[in-house]
């Protein structure tokens, strides 16, 4: 396909990634956002998101990537306009579009939304925070839904240089694919977290269990790492949304309800293990390593680390923390500029985010600064041999 003129409405996480990556694929893109300060920053190559490779793409493709504050510019004189705004404002954007505007919904919307608007194409995103650029440019699949198959295939052709398999279907089916995918991941994560708890009770090792599971092609290797619970902007929202959709349709979905219940249990389980190491938490100093909901992002939305911190604070613990992408104190948490400072005089260190750099910390130095050299690793990221050699006692999820 020849390069197309593309409009993108919304310069948030999905919108900015979409705009920059479509420009990288050779299309001319105008990206609109009502936040003037954000647009000015983007025009100068500065982005507020921590997303590997994204700033480089914005700078590299500046000659075919324009940022504006007038949404009409992203809907006029373009071949397609991608809508990448929060769910609650999608309808206002769609209804404000000129009649000849060919809209493509990237936003995650309730099933049946696009079908209400003739000519609108559904093209859900499958971007992992921390891997968004990689996922966009090397997608596992492209899903496009529309009432007009010809129009759907024109949208699919925008991605043809990626070589990804294409699923062309109707709008509602495409919308359900997004929810079904995310909710399946939520189910899988909740399942492995419960397995980890079972392993602790039985004296088994979750790492060995999941190693044996991964070799089964029917199961696959992804989302089998136990942790303190799942969070972020997508999985919690999408599981609740699919449950609501099922309820409206008169369909019971106990497996998905169970995944949410299991996930809600995880922060309390971590706090119980911290208490088992320190005794009563009141007055104890807890050093937290990691605050974002996952590594590779500065996103704190529905982070299990923050829920755990809240519960620890409610029991009177004093909290210090270090995260490579978080600066400035948070409610009840003194955020430090290094792991050493977070560990100073701590009664226990708790690893809550799987930042790779946590595997390379100077463990003897950290041990020398703690009041009690104990680490609770909820992510399985720290090297057992190095931390124990440094004098720490290591407690890990699933053991």
């Amino acid at each position: 396909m020849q390069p197309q003129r593309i409009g993108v409405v919304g310069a948030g996480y999905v919108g900015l990634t979409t705009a920059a990556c479509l420009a990288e694929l050779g299309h001319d893109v105008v990206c609109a956002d009502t936040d003037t300060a954000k647009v000015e920053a983007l025009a100068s190559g500065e982005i507020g998101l921590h997303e590997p490779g994204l700033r480089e793409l914005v700078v590299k493709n500046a000659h075919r990537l324009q940022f504006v504050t007038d949404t009409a510019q992203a809907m006029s004189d373009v071949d397609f306009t991608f809508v990448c705004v929060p769910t609650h404002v999608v309808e206002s954007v769609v209804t404000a579009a000129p009649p000849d505007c060919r809209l493509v919904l990237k936003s995650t919307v309730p099933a049946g939304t696009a079908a209400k608007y003739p000519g609108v194409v559904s093209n859900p995103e499958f971007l992992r925070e921390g891997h968004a650029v990689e996922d966009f440019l090397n997608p596992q699949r492209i899903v496009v839904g529309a009432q007009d198959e010809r129009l759907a295939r024109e949208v699919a052709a925008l991605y043809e240089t990626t070589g990804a398999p294409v699923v062309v279907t109707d709008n509602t089916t495409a919308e359900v694919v997004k929810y079904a995918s995310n909710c399946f991941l939520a189910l899988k994560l909740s399942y492995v977290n419960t397995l980890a708890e079972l392993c602790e009770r039985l004296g088994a090792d979750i790492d060995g269990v999941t190693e044996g599971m991964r070799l089964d092609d029917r199961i696959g290797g992804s989302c089998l790492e136990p942790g303190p619970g799942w969070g972020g902007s997508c999985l919690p929202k999408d599981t609740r949304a699919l449950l609501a959709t099922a309820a409206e349709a008169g369909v019971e979905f106990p497996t998905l309800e169970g995944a949410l219940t299991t996930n809600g249990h995880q922060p309390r389980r971590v706090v119980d293990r911290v208490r088992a190491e320190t005794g009563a938490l009141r007055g104890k100093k807890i050093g937290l390593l990691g605050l974002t909901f996952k590594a590779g992002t500065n996103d704190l939305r529905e982070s299990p680390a923050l829920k755990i911190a809240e519960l620890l604070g409610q029991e009177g613990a004093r909290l210090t923390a270090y995260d490579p992408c978080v600066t400035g104190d948070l409610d009840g948490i003194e955020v430090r500029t290094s792991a050493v400072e977070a560990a100073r005089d701590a009664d226990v260190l708790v690893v809550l985010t799987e930042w790779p750099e946590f595997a390379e910390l100077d463990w003897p130095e950290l041990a020398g600064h703690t009041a009690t050299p104990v680490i609770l690793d909820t992510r399985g990221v720290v090297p057992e041999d190095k931390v124990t050699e440094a004098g720490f006692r290591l407690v890990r999820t699933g053991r």
Side-chain angles (χ1 to χ4, degrees), residues 92-116:
S92 62
V93 173
V94 172
T95 55
D100 59 345
C101 182
R102 298 200 289 181
L103 293 176
V104 182
L105 284 189
K106 273 284 183 196
S107 302
T108 301
V109 294
T113 296
K116 297 186 293 186

mmCIF file with all atom_site columns, all heavy atoms in Angstrom, residues 92-116:
data_model
loop_
_atom_site.group_PDB
_atom_site.id
_atom_site.type_symbol
_atom_site.label_atom_id
_atom_site.label_alt_id
_atom_site.label_comp_id
_atom_site.label_asym_id
_atom_site.label_entity_id
_atom_site.label_seq_id
_atom_site.pdbx_PDB_ins_code
_atom_site.Cartn_x
_atom_site.Cartn_y
_atom_site.Cartn_z
_atom_site.occupancy
_atom_site.B_iso_or_equiv
_atom_site.pdbx_formal_charge
_atom_site.auth_seq_id
_atom_site.auth_comp_id
_atom_site.auth_asym_id
_atom_site.auth_atom_id
_atom_site.pdbx_PDB_model_num
ATOM 1   N N   . SER A 1 92  ? -18.272 10.908 22.156 1.00 0.00 ? 92  SER A N   1
ATOM 2   C CA  . SER A 1 92  ? -18.263 12.316 21.787 1.00 0.00 ? 92  SER A CA  1
ATOM 3   C C   . SER A 1 92  ? -17.350 12.571 20.595 1.00 0.00 ? 92  SER A C   1
ATOM 4   O O   . SER A 1 92  ? -17.649 13.414 19.742 1.00 0.00 ? 92  SER A O   1
ATOM 5   C CB  . SER A 1 92  ? -17.821 13.174 22.984 1.00 0.00 ? 92  SER A CB  1
ATOM 6   O OG  . SER A 1 92  ? -16.503 12.856 23.386 1.00 0.00 ? 92  SER A OG  1
ATOM 7   N N   . VAL A 1 93  ? -16.241 11.841 20.506 1.00 0.00 ? 93  VAL A N   1
ATOM 8   C CA  . VAL A 1 93  ? -15.333 11.998 19.362 1.00 0.00 ? 93  VAL A CA  1
ATOM 9   C C   . VAL A 1 93  ? -15.991 11.465 18.102 1.00 0.00 ? 93  VAL A C   1
ATOM 10  O O   . VAL A 1 93  ? -15.943 12.107 17.044 1.00 0.00 ? 93  VAL A O   1
ATOM 11  C CB  . VAL A 1 93  ? -14.003 11.270 19.629 1.00 0.00 ? 93  VAL A CB  1
ATOM 12  C CG1 . VAL A 1 93  ? -13.118 11.271 18.379 1.00 0.00 ? 93  VAL A CG1 1
ATOM 13  C CG2 . VAL A 1 93  ? -13.249 11.919 20.788 1.00 0.00 ? 93  VAL A CG2 1
ATOM 14  N N   . VAL A 1 94  ? -16.603 10.307 18.201 1.00 0.00 ? 94  VAL A N   1
ATOM 15  C CA  . VAL A 1 94  ? -17.223 9.685  17.029 1.00 0.00 ? 94  VAL A CA  1
ATOM 16  C C   . VAL A 1 94  ? -18.357 10.547 16.492 1.00 0.00 ? 94  VAL A C   1
ATOM 17  O O   . VAL A 1 94  ? -18.472 10.776 15.277 1.00 0.00 ? 94  VAL A O   1
ATOM 18  C CB  . VAL A 1 94  ? -17.728 8.272  17.368 1.00 0.00 ? 94  VAL A CB  1
ATOM 19  C CG1 . VAL A 1 94  ? -18.543 7.695  16.208 1.00 0.00 ? 94  VAL A CG1 1
ATOM 20  C CG2 . VAL A 1 94  ? -16.548 7.354  17.690 1.00 0.00 ? 94  VAL A CG2 1
ATOM 21  N N   . THR A 1 95  ? -19.207 11.043 17.370 1.00 0.00 ? 95  THR A N   1
ATOM 22  C CA  . THR A 1 95  ? -20.356 11.831 16.909 1.00 0.00 ? 95  THR A CA  1
ATOM 23  C C   . THR A 1 95  ? -19.942 13.197 16.378 1.00 0.00 ? 95  THR A C   1
ATOM 24  O O   . THR A 1 95  ? -20.684 13.812 15.590 1.00 0.00 ? 95  THR A O   1
ATOM 25  C CB  . THR A 1 95  ? -21.371 12.013 18.057 1.00 0.00 ? 95  THR A CB  1
ATOM 26  O OG1 . THR A 1 95  ? -20.708 12.590 19.199 1.00 0.00 ? 95  THR A OG1 1
ATOM 27  C CG2 . THR A 1 95  ? -21.974 10.680 18.457 1.00 0.00 ? 95  THR A CG2 1
ATOM 28  N N   . ALA A 1 96  ? -18.770 13.692 16.775 1.00 0.00 ? 96  ALA A N   1
ATOM 29  C CA  . ALA A 1 96  ? -18.299 14.999 16.290 1.00 0.00 ? 96  ALA A CA  1
ATOM 30  C C   . ALA A 1 96  ? -17.568 14.902 14.963 1.00 0.00 ? 96  ALA A C   1
ATOM 31  O O   . ALA A 1 96  ? -17.265 15.930 14.346 1.00 0.00 ? 96  ALA A O   1
ATOM 32  C CB  . ALA A 1 96  ? -17.375 15.633 17.328 1.00 0.00 ? 96  ALA A CB  1
ATOM 33  N N   . ALA A 1 97  ? -17.287 13.695 14.497 1.00 0.00 ? 97  ALA A N   1
ATOM 34  C CA  . ALA A 1 97  ? -16.526 13.528 13.263 1.00 0.00 ? 97  ALA A CA  1
ATOM 35  C C   . ALA A 1 97  ? -17.356 13.942 12.053 1.00 0.00 ? 97  ALA A C   1
ATOM 36  O O   . ALA A 1 97  ? -18.575 13.715 12.016 1.00 0.00 ? 97  ALA A O   1
ATOM 37  C CB  . ALA A 1 97  ? -16.098 12.078 13.116 1.00 0.00 ? 97  ALA A CB  1
ATOM 38  N N   . PRO A 1 98  ? -16.737 14.565 11.043 1.00 0.00 ? 98  PRO A N   1
ATOM 39  C CA  . PRO A 1 98  ? -17.461 14.922 9.823  1.00 0.00 ? 98  PRO A CA  1
ATOM 40  C C   . PRO A 1 98  ? -17.950 13.671 9.104  1.00 0.00 ? 98  PRO A C   1
ATOM 41  O O   . PRO A 1 98  ? -17.363 12.587 9.265  1.00 0.00 ? 98  PRO A O   1
ATOM 42  C CB  . PRO A 1 98  ? -16.412 15.669 8.998  1.00 0.00 ? 98  PRO A CB  1
ATOM 43  C CG  . PRO A 1 98  ? -15.100 15.288 9.577  1.00 0.00 ? 98  PRO A CG  1
ATOM 44  C CD  . PRO A 1 98  ? -15.329 14.994 11.011 1.00 0.00 ? 98  PRO A CD  1
ATOM 45  N N   . PRO A 1 99  ? -19.009 13.783 8.317  1.00 0.00 ? 99  PRO A N   1
ATOM 46  C CA  . PRO A 1 99  ? -19.626 12.607 7.679  1.00 0.00 ? 99  PRO A CA  1
ATOM 47  C C   . PRO A 1 99  ? -18.670 11.795 6.814  1.00 0.00 ? 99  PRO A C   1
ATOM 48  O O   . PRO A 1 99  ? -18.817 10.572 6.700  1.00 0.00 ? 99  PRO A O   1
ATOM 49  C CB  . PRO A 1 99  ? -20.751 13.231 6.840  1.00 0.00 ? 99  PRO A CB  1
ATOM 50  C CG  . PRO A 1 99  ? -21.044 14.531 7.510  1.00 0.00 ? 99  PRO A CG  1
ATOM 51  C CD  . PRO A 1 99  ? -19.746 15.026 8.034  1.00 0.00 ? 99  PRO A CD  1
ATOM 52  N N   . ASP A 1 100 ? -17.701 12.451 6.185  1.00 0.00 ? 100 ASP A N   1
ATOM 53  C CA  . ASP A 1 100 ? -16.804 11.730 5.284  1.00 0.00 ? 100 ASP A CA  1
ATOM 54  C C   . ASP A 1 100 ? -15.560 11.179 5.977  1.00 0.00 ? 100 ASP A C   1
ATOM 55  O O   . ASP A 1 100 ? -14.668 10.627 5.331  1.00 0.00 ? 100 ASP A O   1
ATOM 56  C CB  . ASP A 1 100 ? -16.370 12.635 4.135  1.00 0.00 ? 100 ASP A CB  1
ATOM 57  C CG  . ASP A 1 100 ? -15.641 13.890 4.629  1.00 0.00 ? 100 ASP A CG  1
ATOM 58  O OD1 . ASP A 1 100 ? -15.731 14.186 5.831  1.00 0.00 ? 100 ASP A OD1 1
ATOM 59  O OD2 . ASP A 1 100 ? -15.002 14.560 3.794  1.00 0.00 ? 100 ASP A OD2 1
ATOM 60  N N   . CYS A 1 101 ? -15.499 11.310 7.289  1.00 0.00 ? 101 CYS A N   1
ATOM 61  C CA  . CYS A 1 101 ? -14.324 10.852 8.043  1.00 0.00 ? 101 CYS A CA  1
ATOM 62  C C   . CYS A 1 101 ? -14.406 9.346  8.257  1.00 0.00 ? 101 CYS A C   1
ATOM 63  O O   . CYS A 1 101 ? -15.414 8.827  8.745  1.00 0.00 ? 101 CYS A O   1
ATOM 64  C CB  . CYS A 1 101 ? -14.245 11.573 9.384  1.00 0.00 ? 101 CYS A CB  1
ATOM 65  S SG  . CYS A 1 101 ? -12.812 11.125 10.383 1.00 0.00 ? 101 CYS A SG  1
ATOM 66  N N   . ARG A 1 102 ? -13.350 8.645  7.893  1.00 0.00 ? 102 ARG A N   1
ATOM 67  C CA  . ARG A 1 102 ? -13.310 7.192  8.077  1.00 0.00 ? 102 ARG A CA  1
ATOM 68  C C   . ARG A 1 102 ? -12.609 6.899  9.405  1.00 0.00 ? 102 ARG A C   1
ATOM 69  O O   . ARG A 1 102 ? -11.399 6.989  9.505  1.00 0.00 ? 102 ARG A O   1
ATOM 70  C CB  . ARG A 1 102 ? -12.612 6.524  6.906  1.00 0.00 ? 102 ARG A CB  1
ATOM 71  C CG  . ARG A 1 102 ? -13.339 6.754  5.584  1.00 0.00 ? 102 ARG A CG  1
ATOM 72  C CD  . ARG A 1 102 ? -12.946 5.748  4.542  1.00 0.00 ? 102 ARG A CD  1
ATOM 73  N NE  . ARG A 1 102 ? -11.584 5.971  4.065  1.00 0.00 ? 102 ARG A NE  1
ATOM 74  C CZ  . ARG A 1 102 ? -11.000 5.218  3.121  1.00 0.00 ? 102 ARG A CZ  1
ATOM 75  N NH1 . ARG A 1 102 ? -11.662 4.204  2.590  1.00 0.00 ? 102 ARG A NH1 1
ATOM 76  N NH2 . ARG A 1 102 ? -9.774  5.478  2.728  1.00 0.00 ? 102 ARG A NH2 1
ATOM 77  N N   . LEU A 1 103 ? -13.413 6.544  10.407 1.00 0.00 ? 103 LEU A N   1
ATOM 78  C CA  . LEU A 1 103 ? -12.917 6.378  11.763 1.00 0.00 ? 103 LEU A CA  1
ATOM 79  C C   . LEU A 1 103 ? -12.488 4.940  12.037 1.00 0.00 ? 103 LEU A C   1
ATOM 80  O O   . LEU A 1 103 ? -13.163 3.988  11.637 1.00 0.00 ? 103 LEU A O   1
ATOM 81  C CB  . LEU A 1 103 ? -13.992 6.776  12.772 1.00 0.00 ? 103 LEU A CB  1
ATOM 82  C CG  . LEU A 1 103 ? -14.385 8.253  12.827 1.00 0.00 ? 103 LEU A CG  1
ATOM 83  C CD1 . LEU A 1 103 ? -15.523 8.437  13.819 1.00 0.00 ? 103 LEU A CD1 1
ATOM 84  C CD2 . LEU A 1 103 ? -13.201 9.117  13.226 1.00 0.00 ? 103 LEU A CD2 1
ATOM 85  N N   . VAL A 1 104 ? -11.388 4.810  12.762 1.00 0.00 ? 104 VAL A N   1
ATOM 86  C CA  . VAL A 1 104 ? -10.880 3.510  13.193 1.00 0.00 ? 104 VAL A CA  1
ATOM 87  C C   . VAL A 1 104 ? -10.747 3.563  14.710 1.00 0.00 ? 104 VAL A C   1
ATOM 88  O O   . VAL A 1 104 ? -9.994  4.375  15.242 1.00 0.00 ? 104 VAL A O   1
ATOM 89  C CB  . VAL A 1 104 ? -9.509  3.200  12.563 1.00 0.00 ? 104 VAL A CB  1
ATOM 90  C CG1 . VAL A 1 104 ? -9.034  1.817  12.999 1.00 0.00 ? 104 VAL A CG1 1
ATOM 91  C CG2 . VAL A 1 104 ? -9.574  3.302  11.043 1.00 0.00 ? 104 VAL A CG2 1
ATOM 92  N N   . LEU A 1 105 ? -11.486 2.709  15.407 1.00 0.00 ? 105 LEU A N   1
ATOM 93  C CA  . LEU A 1 105 ? -11.457 2.709  16.869 1.00 0.00 ? 105 LEU A CA  1
ATOM 94  C C   . LEU A 1 105 ? -10.323 1.828  17.383 1.00 0.00 ? 105 LEU A C   1
ATOM 95  O O   . LEU A 1 105 ? -10.336 0.613  17.238 1.00 0.00 ? 105 LEU A O   1
ATOM 96  C CB  . LEU A 1 105 ? -12.777 2.196  17.428 1.00 0.00 ? 105 LEU A CB  1
ATOM 97  C CG  . LEU A 1 105 ? -13.989 3.125  17.398 1.00 0.00 ? 105 LEU A CG  1
ATOM 98  C CD1 . LEU A 1 105 ? -15.130 2.501  18.193 1.00 0.00 ? 105 LEU A CD1 1
ATOM 99  C CD2 . LEU A 1 105 ? -13.659 4.486  17.952 1.00 0.00 ? 105 LEU A CD2 1
ATOM 100 N N   . LYS A 1 106 ? -9.312  2.470  17.986 1.00 0.00 ? 106 LYS A N   1
ATOM 101 C CA  . LYS A 1 106 ? -8.262  1.757  18.706 1.00 0.00 ? 106 LYS A CA  1
ATOM 102 C C   . LYS A 1 106 ? -8.638  1.608  20.179 1.00 0.00 ? 106 LYS A C   1
ATOM 103 O O   . LYS A 1 106 ? -8.205  0.671  20.847 1.00 0.00 ? 106 LYS A O   1
ATOM 104 C CB  . LYS A 1 106 ? -6.941  2.532  18.610 1.00 0.00 ? 106 LYS A CB  1
ATOM 105 C CG  . LYS A 1 106 ? -6.103  2.213  17.396 1.00 0.00 ? 106 LYS A CG  1
ATOM 106 C CD  . LYS A 1 106 ? -5.422  0.884  17.557 1.00 0.00 ? 106 LYS A CD  1
ATOM 107 C CE  . LYS A 1 106 ? -4.520  0.570  16.374 1.00 0.00 ? 106 LYS A CE  1
ATOM 108 N NZ  . LYS A 1 106 ? -4.163  -0.861 16.351 1.00 0.00 ? 106 LYS A NZ  1
ATOM 109 N N   . SER A 1 107 ? -9.406  2.558  20.674 1.00 0.00 ? 107 SER A N   1
ATOM 110 C CA  . SER A 1 107 ? -9.809  2.528  22.075 1.00 0.00 ? 107 SER A CA  1
ATOM 111 C C   . SER A 1 107 ? -10.549 1.236  22.393 1.00 0.00 ? 107 SER A C   1
ATOM 112 O O   . SER A 1 107 ? -11.282 0.693  21.563 1.00 0.00 ? 107 SER A O   1
ATOM 113 C CB  . SER A 1 107 ? -10.725 3.712  22.388 1.00 0.00 ? 107 SER A CB  1
ATOM 114 O OG  . SER A 1 107 ? -10.093 4.932  22.106 1.00 0.00 ? 107 SER A OG  1
ATOM 115 N N   . THR A 1 108 ? -10.336 0.735  23.613 1.00 0.00 ? 108 THR A N   1
ATOM 116 C CA  . THR A 1 108 ? -11.076 -0.435 24.067 1.00 0.00 ? 108 THR A CA  1
ATOM 117 C C   . THR A 1 108 ? -12.459 0.027  24.503 1.00 0.00 ? 108 THR A C   1
ATOM 118 O O   . THR A 1 108 ? -12.595 0.857  25.401 1.00 0.00 ? 108 THR A O   1
ATOM 119 C CB  . THR A 1 108 ? -10.347 -1.112 25.237 1.00 0.00 ? 108 THR A CB  1
ATOM 120 O OG1 . THR A 1 108 ? -9.037  -1.492 24.805 1.00 0.00 ? 108 THR A OG1 1
ATOM 121 C CG2 . THR A 1 108 ? -11.099 -2.344 25.704 1.00 0.00 ? 108 THR A CG2 1
ATOM 122 N N   . VAL A 1 109 ? -13.474 -0.500 23.847 1.00 0.00 ? 109 VAL A N   1
ATOM 123 C CA  . VAL A 1 109 ? -14.850 -0.044 24.092 1.00 0.00 ? 109 VAL A CA  1
ATOM 124 C C   . VAL A 1 109 ? -15.740 -1.251 24.364 1.00 0.00 ? 109 VAL A C   1
ATOM 125 O O   . VAL A 1 109 ? -15.428 -2.380 23.976 1.00 0.00 ? 109 VAL A O   1
ATOM 126 C CB  . VAL A 1 109 ? -15.397 0.745  22.884 1.00 0.00 ? 109 VAL A CB  1
ATOM 127 C CG1 . VAL A 1 109 ? -14.624 2.044  22.692 1.00 0.00 ? 109 VAL A CG1 1
ATOM 128 C CG2 . VAL A 1 109 ? -15.336 -0.093 21.605 1.00 0.00 ? 109 VAL A CG2 1
ATOM 129 N N   . PRO A 1 110 ? -16.873 -1.042 25.041 1.00 0.00 ? 110 PRO A N   1
ATOM 130 C CA  . PRO A 1 110 ? -17.799 -2.149 25.292 1.00 0.00 ? 110 PRO A CA  1
ATOM 131 C C   . PRO A 1 110 ? -18.240 -2.811 23.999 1.00 0.00 ? 110 PRO A C   1
ATOM 132 O O   . PRO A 1 110 ? -18.430 -2.139 22.965 1.00 0.00 ? 110 PRO A O   1
ATOM 133 C CB  . PRO A 1 110 ? -18.967 -1.469 26.003 1.00 0.00 ? 110 PRO A CB  1
ATOM 134 C CG  . PRO A 1 110 ? -18.362 -0.259 26.649 1.00 0.00 ? 110 PRO A CG  1
ATOM 135 C CD  . PRO A 1 110 ? -17.312 0.205  25.686 1.00 0.00 ? 110 PRO A CD  1
ATOM 136 N N   . ALA A 1 111 ? -18.390 -4.112 24.042 1.00 0.00 ? 111 ALA A N   1
ATOM 137 C CA  . ALA A 1 111 ? -18.813 -4.851 22.856 1.00 0.00 ? 111 ALA A CA  1
ATOM 138 C C   . ALA A 1 111 ? -20.137 -4.309 22.330 1.00 0.00 ? 111 ALA A C   1
ATOM 139 O O   . ALA A 1 111 ? -21.084 -4.129 23.085 1.00 0.00 ? 111 ALA A O   1
ATOM 140 C CB  . ALA A 1 111 ? -18.938 -6.334 23.190 1.00 0.00 ? 111 ALA A CB  1
ATOM 141 N N   . GLY A 1 112 ? -20.184 -4.037 21.044 1.00 0.00 ? 112 GLY A N   1
ATOM 142 C CA  . GLY A 1 112 ? -21.375 -3.494 20.406 1.00 0.00 ? 112 GLY A CA  1
ATOM 143 C C   . GLY A 1 112 ? -21.309 -1.999 20.167 1.00 0.00 ? 112 GLY A C   1
ATOM 144 O O   . GLY A 1 112 ? -22.210 -1.436 19.532 1.00 0.00 ? 112 GLY A O   1
ATOM 145 N N   . THR A 1 113 ? -20.246 -1.336 20.641 1.00 0.00 ? 113 THR A N   1
ATOM 146 C CA  . THR A 1 113 ? -20.136 0.115  20.501 1.00 0.00 ? 113 THR A CA  1
ATOM 147 C C   . THR A 1 113 ? -20.029 0.537  19.040 1.00 0.00 ? 113 THR A C   1
ATOM 148 O O   . THR A 1 113 ? -20.803 1.364  18.555 1.00 0.00 ? 113 THR A O   1
ATOM 149 C CB  . THR A 1 113 ? -18.914 0.643  21.277 1.00 0.00 ? 113 THR A CB  1
ATOM 150 O OG1 . THR A 1 113 ? -19.102 0.397  22.660 1.00 0.00 ? 113 THR A OG1 1
ATOM 151 C CG2 . THR A 1 113 ? -18.751 2.150  21.059 1.00 0.00 ? 113 THR A CG2 1
ATOM 152 N N   . ALA A 1 114 ? -19.067 -0.019 18.316 1.00 0.00 ? 114 ALA A N   1
ATOM 153 C CA  . ALA A 1 114 ? -18.814 0.429  16.945 1.00 0.00 ? 114 ALA A CA  1
ATOM 154 C C   . ALA A 1 114 ? -19.974 0.122  16.015 1.00 0.00 ? 114 ALA A C   1
ATOM 155 O O   . ALA A 1 114 ? -20.220 0.874  15.055 1.00 0.00 ? 114 ALA A O   1
ATOM 156 C CB  . ALA A 1 114 ? -17.530 -0.208 16.410 1.00 0.00 ? 114 ALA A CB  1
ATOM 157 N N   . ALA A 1 115 ? -20.688 -0.960 16.290 1.00 0.00 ? 115 ALA A N   1
ATOM 158 C CA  . ALA A 1 115 ? -21.800 -1.348 15.418 1.00 0.00 ? 115 ALA A CA  1
ATOM 159 C C   . ALA A 1 115 ? -22.902 -0.295 15.391 1.00 0.00 ? 115 ALA A C   1
ATOM 160 O O   . ALA A 1 115 ? -23.733 -0.271 14.477 1.00 0.00 ? 115 ALA A O   1
ATOM 161 C CB  . ALA A 1 115 ? -22.360 -2.695 15.862 1.00 0.00 ? 115 ALA A CB  1
ATOM 162 N N   . LYS A 1 116 ? -22.910 0.604  16.373 1.00 0.00 ? 116 LYS A N   1
ATOM 163 C CA  . LYS A 1 116 ? -23.936 1.654  16.416 1.00 0.00 ? 116 LYS A CA  1
ATOM 164 C C   . LYS A 1 116 ? -23.630 2.772  15.431 1.00 0.00 ? 116 LYS A C   1
ATOM 165 O O   . LYS A 1 116 ? -24.485 3.628  15.174 1.00 0.00 ? 116 LYS A O   1
ATOM 166 C CB  . LYS A 1 116 ? -24.033 2.232  17.838 1.00 0.00 ? 116 LYS A CB  1
ATOM 167 C CG  . LYS A 1 116 ? -24.469 1.218  18.887 1.00 0.00 ? 116 LYS A CG  1
ATOM 168 C CD  . LYS A 1 116 ? -24.678 1.877  20.236 1.00 0.00 ? 116 LYS A CD  1
ATOM 169 C CE  . LYS A 1 116 ? -23.379 2.394  20.819 1.00 0.00 ? 116 LYS A CE  1
ATOM 170 N NZ  . LYS A 1 116 ? -23.551 2.929  22.210 1.00 0.00 ? 116 LYS A NZ  1
#
